[in-house]
Amino acid sequence: SHTHVRTASGFIEDQIAITMKFTIAAFASCLGFTSGFVPSVKPAFTSKLFGEYGASSTSFYTTTEKKTSYKSLEDVLAVKCKDVQLREVITDMLGACAEITEALRTALVTVEGSMNDFGDAQLSVDVIADQIMWEACKSSKLIREGASEEEPVVVNVDPTDEGEFTVCWDPLDGSSIVDNNWAVGTIIGIWPKRTGLIGATGRDQVTSAVAIYGPRTTVLVALDDGTYEFSYGCTPEGCQLPDGSWEPWICSREAIKIKPDCKIFSPANMRAAKEVPEYKRLLDYYMDNKFTLRYSGGLVPDIYQQFTKEQGIFSNPNSPESPAKLRLAFEAAPFALLVEKAGGKSSDGVTGNSILDVQINSVDQRCAICIGSANEVDRYNEYICKA
């Protein structure tokens, strides 16, 4: 099975099967069946739903093994990112994510008394993260334009007119759950000068990155041959520098692959199921087939898990009374590039085509989306888009 779940050892499974076999036979004898009644009991399926003491065991645990050494961000970019200028921008963006990490450790989550252009009350941490991103863009010689979800306009940050990239970001995705101290993140999409943002598509991105701030800070980055994960501030053996310091960023996962099948589902906008019977039918399918629900209400952790668990499906459809609210440029397109680079699929939720092929006509453009394991995206398209 492609799923990675905690199970008892093979020996214990066999003993349980034998015990069940003779227990059922004894019970059958009490009911008057012949002594020859011995039912066939197969050993438990490797993705069984019960673990020790009969407790539910549908969790998906890591199978990542410790390495003797880890490559630095600089080493990986030198080989996996042929564009030298882009390497510098990626390094600058991860530097901003490191600053946001430190800011989140010390900032209280309070309302600032201001609102962004979408009418959302801004939190202190939103403002801090956004300021850090703006400062990173304005101090870069290679970034010509910036656009923040907090301020949905494309702003020229390059007085010399020599910049090569447009950077678009959601500074702190997950504002509604950050006060719970749940994982939140930063989403970044980078477009080249030749396309800019307006009129381009997600497929025009030269890279994208998503940082998740939890017990650790890790960042997914789309490189030439796939999606890589970098971890911040870790101190494993083999990564200490000659002066006794540590690499700020090490590569914790290389060329991640998302499997085509999955058993994890993250259904957003479930209100839409009341108006879209096909979505209700799809949710019933997941439950009838014993998928594991993993949904926090934060876009970053809900999709990021597809890279750590190497599987999963996230859905956010549209309906008249519950319209899709995800931003194409700030959220959907950057994540879609990462997922598709890892072998997954994305759907625009309407035609069934890739979200990467949807043209960006305004900074605040919203979209439906389904993203993750390829076969489950195909199922979503079959249920929703072709209904």
Side-chain angles (χ1 to χ4, degrees):
S1 171
H2 67 274
T3 55
H4 303 298
V5 298
R6 183 175 59 180
T7 61
S9 68
F11 173 77
I12 294 175
E13 287 181 357
D14 291 342
Q15 296 304 306
I16 291 172
I18 292 168
T19 302
M20 287 175 63
K21 193 173 192 177
F22 288 102
T23 299
I24 295 172
F27 181 66
S29 178
C30 292
L31 295 177
F33 289 99
T34 63
S35 59
F37 177 80
V38 180
S40 175
V41 179
K42 296 181 180 179
F45 180 62
T46 55
S47 293
K48 65 183 183 180
L49 298 179
F50 297 97
E52 294 84 353
Y53 311 109
S56 176
S57 182
T58 56
S59 297
F60 292 75
Y61 294 90
T62 185
T63 58
T64 303
E65 297 181 356
K66 182 180 177 181
K67 298 179 181 179
T68 55
S69 65
Y70 293 83
K71 298 173 185 174
S72 69
L73 171 65
E74 182 180 1
D75 290 342
V76 173
L77 292 182
V79 176
K80 301 298 182 179
C81 181
K82 63 184 178 183
D83 187 326
V84 177
Q85 291 182 318
L86 187 57
R87 290 180 207 166
E88 186 175 331
V89 174
I90 291 172
T91 302
D92 288 344
M93 292 300 100
L94 266 65
C97 293
E99 286 190 51
I100 293 172
T101 297
E102 302 303 330
L104 289 173
R105 297 282 183 263
T106 58
L108 291 174
V109 179
T110 57
V111 176
E112 277 291 295
S114 59
M115 304 186 82
N116 63 19
D117 283 26
F118 303 117
D120 303 323
Q122 287 186 300
L123 303 179
S124 54
V125 286
D126 287 325
V127 174
I128 292 169
D130 200 35
Q131 288 173 343
I132 291 171
M133 288 299 298
W134 277 116
E135 288 168 5
C137 288
K138 290 175 181 178
S139 63
S140 170
K141 297 178 295 184
L142 295 171
I143 298 173
R144 63 189 298 267
E145 294 175 329
S148 167
E149 188 192 40
E150 300 296 314
E151 184 183 349
V153 292
V154 178
V155 178
N156 190 308
V157 296
D158 177 28
T160 65
D161 200 33
E162 295 178 357
E164 293 293 330
F165 304 100
T166 296
V167 180
C168 187
W169 67 85
D170 182 346
L172 200 66
D173 187 85
S175 297
S176 66
I177 61 173
V178 68
D179 56 346
N180 295 339
N181 214 20
W182 292 2
V184 292
T186 298
I187 307 173
I188 302 167
I190 302 178
W191 279 262
K193 183 177 182 178
R194 63 178 176 80
T195 67
L197 181 65
I198 305 302
T201 67
R203 207 171 291 283
D204 291 319
Q205 292 173 104
V206 289
T207 189
S208 66
V210 172
I212 187 167
Y213 311 112
R216 298 170 297 116
T217 291
T218 55
V219 183
L220 297 168
V221 182
L223 298 179
D224 294 346
D225 68 341
T227 299
Y228 289 69
E229 181 192 71
F230 298 90
S231 292
Y232 173 66
C234 294
T235 57
E237 295 176 11
C239 292
Q240 193 166 19
L241 300 174
D243 64 359
S245 63
W246 300 83
E247 288 287 354
W249 293 96
I250 58 172
C251 185
S252 41
R253 298 175 193 271
E254 299 183 36
I256 302 167
K257 294 300 178 187
I258 297 174
K259 296 181 175 66
D261 295 307
C262 74
K263 276 294 191 178
I264 297 174
F265 76 120
S266 305
N269 199 13
M270 290 180 69
R271 296 182 188 89
K274 194 161 186 175
E275 299 175 81
V276 183
E278 294 80 13
Y279 192 37
K280 173 67 165 58
R281 189 163 65 93
L282 181 62
L283 298 181
D284 287 342
Y285 171 85
Y286 295 144
M287 290 185 285
D288 290 344
N289 286 274
K290 296 181 171 58
F291 276 53
T292 294
L293 175 67
R294 288 291 178 267
Y295 180 71
S296 72
L299 181 69
V300 170
D302 289 339
I303 298 182
Y304 199 109
Q305 65 184 330
Q306 296 175 6
F307 299 90
T308 54
K309 306 305 182 185
E310 299 181 351
Q311 59 166 299
I313 187 72
F314 174 89
S315 55
N316 192 328
N318 208 351
S319 77
E321 292 186 14
S322 300
K325 62 179 183 178
L326 295 182
R327 280 85 172 180
L328 175 60
F330 298 111
E331 297 164 319
F335 250 129
L337 183 65
L338 290 163
V339 167
E340 293 197 16
K341 280 265 188 180
K345 276 189 174 183
S346 71
S347 167
D348 63 10
V350 179
T351 68
N353 295 329
S354 169
I355 202 77
L356 293 177
D357 294 323
V358 179
Q359 188 174 56
I360 301 168
N361 297 316
S362 69
V363 182
D364 184 35
Q365 188 170 338
R366 312 296 177 101
C367 64
I369 189 173
C370 181
I371 191 168
S373 292
N375 290 342
E376 289 308 318
V377 174
D378 288 343
R379 188 187 312 281
Y380 177 96
N381 288 339
E382 192 69 33
Y383 275 56
I384 311 295
C385 302
K386 297 178 182 179

